Amino acid sequence: MKIGVRLSAAAVFVVVTAAAQIPRTPDGHPDFQGLWTNATLTPVERPPRLAGNANLVDFFHLELRDGEGEQDHGSALASINGVERSSLVVDPPDGKIPLRAARVPEHSRFDSVRDRPLSERCLMGFGAPAGPPMLPVLDNSNYQIVQTPDYVMIMVEMVHDVRIVRMNGMHPPQNVRQWMGDSIGHWEGDTLIVDTTNFTSKTRFRGASQDMHVIERFTRGTGEDAGAFLYKATIDDPATFSKPWTMEYPFLATAGPIFEYACHEGNYALADILGGARKEDAGTGKR
Amino acid sequence: MPGANCDKLAKVREHLIIFEAQGLGEIDQMQIRFQRSTIGVVAALGLALGAGVSPAAAQGTAYKPPRTSDGKPNMNGIWQALNFANWDLQDHASGPSVETDCGALCAEPGGPGVVEGGEIPYLPAAKAKKEENKKNHMALDPEVRCYLPGVPRANYMPYPFQIFQSDKAFAIAYQYDGAFRNIYLKDPGPAPADSWMGQSYGKWEGDTFVVDVTGLDERTWFDRAGDYHSDELHVVERYTLTGPDTMNYEATITDPKVYSRPWKISMPLYKHVEKNARLMEFKCVEFVEELMYGQYRKK
């Protein structure tokens, strides 16, 4: 049986005793450099049929055993502290994103290119692989991290999005808004904390507004979990969510290479999708 | 969107349609190919480099750059070319734009060339194609559509780029289109497929970082003047720090299908020293959607 990762409580949280085992950069901080994947079979939210059950149930085990080999979207469930998770959302405990109102589907209109989902337009990867928060998606859930004393750079395979975390930096004025927001970082002991604000109103993460505030925590595993780090992200946006909520899942070391995801350069679908809609309007479309 | 801009977009789209119909703007083939033999290219390049003089020697500088923890010259920083190479690699005077409704904004600034020896050594047929490209650059230049810029163009576009150098990695993030290059520090072998930014393998020759770039997609250009290459393009870059905030950048370009011999560009790069310097997003896909897909808007 394939096992995605097992991060034990001792390995992840008792960093004092394990400090010597964590790979470190020359300036003494935990070293997160390398290629990583957060691919997993665990869904973001707990499926309704598993309500009230935070742990893995037989249904997933069956699916897993029936699967043939590696799959793009992962071959194992997220496993933390020896418990295989049935949702990435860990707070609230019901595994549900505390949305104030139901999300408006973004795929239903075809009037202009701006009606189409960001992924179809090659603006962002589908399902928020870059985020932040950085969610596992259907495929290509791969990342490269390079660390220098002043920066942590995270390259996301999907749409070759590069996140640049400025260590001990300050956010720019509120009028400066970017698709992936503005990320600044600092260390709390051996945990890297990344704080992101200044999103655009077009970013569309799970229906969130431009006022979304994301705090990510990166903590390296040790011992048998040395090939992983624990990723925890807390999302706050009072206009959209009734309270802050948190996801937790591992990133596993993976082999390269990461290929170039040149999405826009080969985007023939968008013209066909919109062109098809216009032919339908004119009654010239073929069914 | 103001009417004038819409007219302009309509005009450019018209160009695009004409040229695609003529097969001159072929962009619709997925070009995942296996690496071609590079024996001839490597041989030619060896000649070119052998004839060259190392920049440090040429300048007679004894600049001792700051070092990273593993003793390599520290190239971390946000860099930018301050020249007019993206308009035209060769010497050129100022001139108007094809588009007139954006006034001085779209005019071409004149500038000295960055090609050693002055001229790009095109083969005769290739020279004709370059001229044709230049005449129709608004329709054909991949930059107009926000396509990935390729190498070396990414390094002298009028946008900054950031080097992330550690003892384990050397990566370059570009503001333009969020382009990215990971420079392999161990030989990755032949590129498994062509890509817009190519495959880069870097090693240190003294204090110069030498990057071998292969597997480059043939659809990129070198500038807005139509300077182009084929799928046999091979680029060797040399990065050498020359002062606390400057470095010299060279690229030797080999492509036997298009040029009669290898040729070289050379320019300084400048480090951003502003306290609040940072690489911003420039996701230009959004800015070209009206140009590329505006004709599909519901009337």
Side-chain angles (χ1 to χ4, degrees):
Chain A
M1 180 179 138
K2 286 199 177 72
I3 296 173
V5 64
R6 293 189 183 281
L7 288 167
S8 72
V12 173
F13 298 110
V14 188
V15 288
V16 178
T17 53
Q21 297 167 18
I22 298 175
R24 288 181 186 275
T25 55
D27 54 349
H29 293 299
D31 189 345
F32 290 93
Q33 294 185 94
L35 304 184
W36 304 94
T37 179
N38 60 1
T40 179
L41 293 176
T42 300
V44 174
E45 294 187 276
R46 188 166 305 135
R49 63 186 177 281
L50 305 183
N53 195 341
N55 301 350
L56 173 70
V57 294
D58 289 344
F59 179 82
F60 274 124
H61 269 309
L62 279 173
E63 263 193 353
L64 200 54
R65 278 199 293 269
D66 291 346
E68 288 287 324
E70 285 286 319
Q71 295 179 43
D72 287 341
H73 56 278
S75 54
L77 290 134
S79 168
I80 298 165
N81 300 344
V83 176
E84 290 177 310
R85 297 288 177 82
S86 55
S87 66
L88 301 183
V89 175
V90 293
D91 180 32
D94 67 358
K96 285 285 184 199
I97 299 172
L99 272 172
R100 286 193 182 278
R103 282 170 71 191
V104 181
E106 52 171 301
H107 302 263
S108 54
R109 296 179 61 227
F110 297 85
D111 292 352
S112 91
V113 62
R114 286 176 196 238
D115 290 335
R116 304 308 304 153
L118 302 183
S119 54
E120 217 168 76
R121 296 158 65 189
C122 294
L123 276 164
M124 301 287 288
F126 53 87
M134 301 185 287
L135 282 177
V137 292
L138 189 63
D139 57 11
N140 301 335
S141 297
N142 299 313
Y143 301 80
Q144 179 181 3
I145 296 181
V146 179
Q147 256 171 282
T148 72
D150 302 321
Y151 296 92
V152 176
M153 187 225 69
I154 307 170
M155 198 284 293
V156 186
E157 174 168 351
M158 293 304 282
V159 201
H160 52 83
D161 272 330
V162 175
R163 296 184 59 198
I164 298 173
V165 179
R166 303 190 312 285
M167 296 305 292
N168 307 308
M170 303 261 289
H171 288 305
Q174 285 297 295
N175 64 306
V176 179
R177 298 194 168 273
Q178 306 201 101
W179 290 96
M180 293 179 280
D182 179 78
S183 294
I184 55 178
H186 69 275
W187 296 97
E188 274 181 24
D190 279 343
T191 296
L192 169 66
I193 316 280
V194 179
D195 183 293
T196 306
T197 58
N198 295 67
F199 288 97
T200 71
S201 58
K202 303 170 283 186
T203 302
R204 296 183 186 171
F205 176 79
R206 299 259 157 183
S209 78
Q210 65 173 14
D211 297 325
M212 178 168 69
H213 180 194
V214 179
I215 297 173
E216 297 161 285
R217 304 171 66 88
F218 299 67
T219 311
R220 275 214 73 134
T222 57
E224 65 178 289
D225 304 322
F229 68 80
L230 184 65
Y231 177 78
K232 200 167 176 172
T234 299
I235 297 99
D236 191 11
D237 180 17
T240 312
F241 310 114
S242 58
K243 55 185 169 183
W245 53 283
T246 299
M247 294 185 292
E248 184 180 66
Y249 41 98
F251 277 59
L252 313 183
T254 188
I258 292 181
F259 282 9
E260 176 181 85
Y261 194 88
C263 176
H264 170 65
E265 289 76 1
N267 192 354
Y268 311 111
L270 194 48
D272 288 346
I273 288 164
L274 294 169
R278 296 295 78 79
K279 284 190 174 169
E280 194 168 67
D281 291 347
T284 55
K286 279 186 230 163
R287 281 280 182 185
Chain B
M1 171 167 288
N5 277 341
C6 286
D7 289 349
K8 180 179 148 199
L9 292 173
K11 210 158 40 174
V12 173
R13 268 200 302 272
E14 206 172 284
H15 288 307
L16 296 178
I17 291 161
I18 290 166
F19 281 92
E20 278 171 5
Q22 291 175 350
L24 293 170
E26 288 212 85
I27 54 152
D28 56 347
Q29 293 171 16
M30 282 295 289
Q31 302 200 353
I32 297 172
R33 296 179 299 268
F34 290 103
Q35 182 65 22
R36 290 162 202 83
S37 163
T38 53
I39 294 169
V41 176
V42 171
L45 187 77
L47 283 175
L49 291 180
V53 181
S54 81
Q59 291 155 10
T61 55
Y63 178 65
K64 296 278 179 234
R67 309 264 156 185
T68 54
S69 58
D70 59 341
K72 303 289 192 293
N74 189 342
M75 296 182 175
N76 277 297
I78 300 174
W79 299 89
Q80 191 167 346
L82 285 179
N83 60 33
F84 303 93
N86 189 53
W87 282 265
D88 192 340
L89 288 175
Q90 300 184 180
D91 261 288
H92 61 282
S94 297
S97 165
V98 177
E99 302 306 317
T100 51
D101 56 2
C102 48
L105 286 187
C106 302
E108 177 183 342
V114 298
V115 179
E116 289 203 355
E119 282 224 29
I120 299 172
Y122 279 107
L123 294 166
K127 175 81 176 162
K129 179 166 180 195
K130 175 243 151 84
E131 292 303 332
E132 194 63 24
N133 285 348
K134 184 176 183 174
K135 220 185 300 172
N136 304 295
H137 79 103
M138 284 299 288
L140 299 180
D141 183 352
E143 186 190 350
V144 171
R145 300 189 191 199
C146 178
Y147 287 166
L148 285 165
V151 179
R153 189 175 187 180
N155 280 11
Y156 51 78
M157 291 187 78
Y159 303 85
F161 61 88
Q162 185 162 2
I163 292 177
F164 299 92
Q165 179 192 355
S166 72
D167 54 353
K168 289 189 180 152
F170 196 111
I172 310 180
Y174 296 89
Q175 181 157 319
Y176 171 78
D177 195 24
F180 175 78
R181 296 166 70 189
N182 172 50
I183 318 285
Y184 288 97
L185 299 176
K186 284 182 190 151
D187 186 355
D194 280 1
S195 59
W196 289 75
M197 298 305 289
Q199 175 178 282
S200 296
Y201 165 39
K203 54 190 169 193
W204 292 91
E205 283 181 14
D207 281 353
T208 295
F209 191 51
V210 182
V211 184
D212 191 84
V213 194
T214 53
L216 286 155
D217 191 289
E218 69 183 328
R219 289 168 288 183
T220 61
W221 281 12
F222 292 142
D223 56 24
R224 296 177 186 175
D227 286 309
Y228 79 107
H229 57 84
S230 80
D231 56 1
E232 291 194 9
L233 174 66
H234 179 194
V235 179
V236 177
E237 303 172 284
R238 298 176 67 87
Y239 298 78
T240 311
L241 291 168
T242 51
D245 306 316
T246 56
M247 74 159 90
N248 191 65
Y249 174 70
E250 285 182 9
T252 300
I253 292 155
T254 307
D255 184 343
K257 270 196 200 167
V258 179
Y259 318 114
S260 60
R261 56 175 169 80
W263 53 283
K264 192 158 92 174
I265 59 170
S266 176
M267 66 187 73
L269 298 175
Y270 300 89
K271 194 189 232 175
H272 280 268
V273 297
E274 304 94 311
K275 277 208 175 70
N276 60 349
R278 63 185 192 277
L279 213 65
M280 307 281 285
E281 281 179 3
F282 185 71
K283 277 184 171 286
C284 51
V285 169
E286 187 190 16
F287 311 141
V288 301
E289 285 181 326
E290 195 56 37
L291 169 70
M292 293 179 68
Y293 308 114
Q295 70 267 43
Y296 302 116
R297 176 189 293 281
K298 186 167 187 158
K299 297 284 190 286

